[in-house]
Amino acid sequence: MTPDPDRHTPAEAPDDPDAHGKPVGRRVFLGTLGLGALGVATAPWLQRGAERTLGSLSGQDPTGLSGLLPNGGGFRYYSVAASVPRKSPADYRLTVDGLVDRPRAYTLADLRALPRTRLTRDVQCVTGWRVPKTPFEGVRLDDLLEAAGVRRTAKAVRFTCFDGTYTESLTLDQARRPDVLVALRMQGEDIGHDHGGPVRLYVAPMYFYKSAKWLSGITVTDHVQPGYWETRGYDVDAWVGRSNGRTDDPTS
Ligand SMILES: Nc1nc2c(c(=O)[nH]1)N[C@H]1C(S)=C(S)[C@@H](COP(=O)(O)O)O[C@H]1N2
Ligand SMILES: [Mo]
């Protein structure tokens, strides 16, 4: 089934950061502070001592090591791990296990042979940067779950990465959405190492921290195990515009 762009309701759609009538001065100010300021504004774990830490957070970005990617078209490079091993097409494996009847390890060739879905959506990081209309291509997560045979007791999915550090999670309902991909291509090319290749998750309706790079494991679980940034204050339900990953609330 081809995903229906209309599933993406206006409330979920990535918004123009300046479209909500907030004073530009505040926007620019927050923008220069990056996620530090976002955290101060919204995330409980940074609220205390905000004044004290603001100065030191200025210019830094707690969602990991970040830098503008050359030729990245506005993407920033993020990795919470200092170095990440490279996986060649021959080395790569994606395991699907946990509460499933048919656990499996996919090679890259296995994944490439499966039916593909294409989505073109805006990429939106919680720190404010955004890459409009970015094409992604990959296998629906739902297809892999279907093939694995999810058991009745399952409630959630946990993702692990071959950087050895990052994790992510979705509820089973979220994981089954047609706009959640195990992505093989981005912007018309195979996903390169810096963008989390050869395989990354792409959770189109949520902030980009949900889109785990260097994806190596999909484990079906009986409860949500919050991911890396989620244990550090960010919402598991990271809907763009409807979670704590932004400074203003477009629904209000
Ligand atoms: N494994 C891993 N995945 C990750 C991250 C990370 O640090 N490690 N950072 C997340 C965040 S906060 C963002 S904004 C995007 C950045 O993707 P990019 O480096 O392709 O721009 O990856 C997400 N997935
Ligand atoms: Mo991010």
Side-chain angles (χ1 to χ4, degrees), residues 1 25 31 35 56 95 97 101 113 117 139 150 181 187 203 207 213 241:
M1 192 183 95
L35 185 61
S56 58
T95 57
D97 60 15
D101 293 331
T117 295
V139 179
V150 173
L181 302 183
Q187 296 178 308
V203 182
Y207 285 105
K213 299 163 68 168

Side-chain angles (χ1 to χ4, degrees), residues 63 78 125-126 209:
T63 60
Y78 280 78
C125 172
V126 288
Y209 66 84

